[in-house]
Amino acid sequence: SAVISQKPSRDICQRGTSLTIQCQVDSQVTMMFWYRQQPGQSLTLIATANQGSEATYESGFVIDKFPISRPNLTFSTLTVSNMSPEDSSIYLCSVDPGQGHTQYFGPGTRLTVL
Amino acid sequence: QKEVEQNSGPLSVPEGAIASLNCTYSDRGSQSFFWYRQYSGKSPELIMFIYSNGDKEDGRFTAQLNKASQYVSLLIRDSQPSDSATYLCAVNNQAGTALIFGKGTTLSVSS
């Protein structure tokens, strides 16, 4: 498995602002993923972030709204831009350490937009 | 678009009983199947994964896969109150990388 940390753990933000969420892994991993879990819902994949290439976004998610960086094999950021109350959610990063496509999740960032 | 379906529950079982959680998936090409447990306010925790038809056992947990019926299940034997959580079924996406999750089944084990 892998040890994953996220910052911040929670935040309350104003409408129209942006928040950058950091994800740090204790080992080098090729694939990192960003998910969203809205209240009472399951997880929805936002994008896949591979080091050295542009992130791949899922249907319904765009780079202008959710820009992602992946500067090295242990770190990634997700920015939630121009936030609205509908962006209130838990944002989770996950990694695939290369063990047969299993994924491990970070503790999540609980975002509330007022 | 792949879909993963689960009964949302809640599924209530007494302590010591067997809890049976079920999941169906739409894409016959799916190869990898996962069960995650999520406690309230926490992130998902991987319990088991299964790739081949049949059963896979790990302690009190057994995952069952039937690709012909596109059906995955998780059995929890000797259920404990600490097993009370939401159980998420997931399958790999078309690229075989990221995961598509079901909405989860909430399990409640009463003592």
Side-chain angles (χ1 to χ4, degrees):
Chain A
S1 64
V3 178
I4 307 165
S5 61
Q6 284 186 236
K7 291 181 181 179
S9 59
R10 59 178 62 230
D11 207 343
I12 300 173
C13 300
Q14 296 298 317
R15 179 196 299 261
T17 63
S18 297
L19 176 72
T20 295
I21 302 168
Q22 300 179 5
C23 179
Q24 180 76 51
V25 191
D26 69 340
S27 58
Q28 294 185 338
V29 294
T30 301
M31 307 194 74
M32 295 181 75
F33 308 88
W34 287 98
Y35 290 82
R36 180 174 73 181
Q37 188 171 30
Q38 294 180 304
Q41 303 296 314
S42 190
L43 285 77
T44 301
L45 179 65
I46 297 172
T48 302
N50 293 333
Q51 195 268 337
S53 63
E54 294 289 326
T56 302
Y57 289 83
E58 297 298 303
S59 175
F61 298 95
V62 295
I63 188 171
D64 289 347
K65 176 67 175 178
F66 297 101
I68 288 172
S69 77
R70 183 79 200 275
N72 57 53
L73 291 174
T74 64
F75 187 79
S76 179
T77 67
L78 169 75
T79 299
V80 186
S81 303
N82 188 24
M83 289 184 285
S84 67
E86 291 72 32
D87 294 319
S88 297
S89 185
I90 298 173
Y91 292 86
L92 298 127
C93 73
S94 74
V95 304
D96 176 356
Q99 299 170 2
H101 304 302
T102 54
Q103 288 189 27
Y104 301 91
F105 284 85
T109 296
R110 184 180 294 272
L111 171 63
T112 302
V113 183
L114 303 178
Chain B
Q1 176 70 23
K2 290 188 179 183
E3 291 185 355
V4 179
E5 300 287 342
Q6 294 181 256
N7 187 326
S8 62
L11 173 65
S12 298
V13 300
E15 184 175 359
I18 296 175
S20 178
L21 305 161
N22 305 315
C23 171
T24 59
Y25 59 96
S26 62
D27 187 344
R28 192 170 287 277
S30 295
Q31 296 293 318
S32 305
F33 307 87
F34 306 85
W35 284 99
Y36 286 82
R37 177 175 63 198
Q38 187 173 28
Y39 292 113
S40 181
K42 301 295 185 182
S43 63
E45 171 193 10
L46 180 66
I47 298 176
M48 294 191 70
F49 58 88
I50 185 168
Y51 303 144
S52 304
N53 271 334
D55 296 359
K56 179 180 179 182
E57 186 174 319
D58 184 0
R60 296 187 295 113
F61 299 96
T62 299
Q64 298 176 318
L65 173 61
N66 184 324
K67 288 187 176 180
S69 300
Q70 297 177 238
Y71 178 90
V72 190
S73 66
L74 179 70
L75 300 178
I76 306 175
R77 291 182 300 281
D78 189 23
S79 295
Q80 301 297 310
S82 58
D83 295 326
S84 299
T86 297
Y87 289 81
L88 301 167
C89 173
V91 303
N92 63 304
N93 65 354
Q94 287 187 343
T97 53
L99 299 176
I100 310 297
F101 282 85
K103 293 187 176 181
T105 298
T106 300
L107 173 65
S108 176
V109 181
S110 56
S111 57

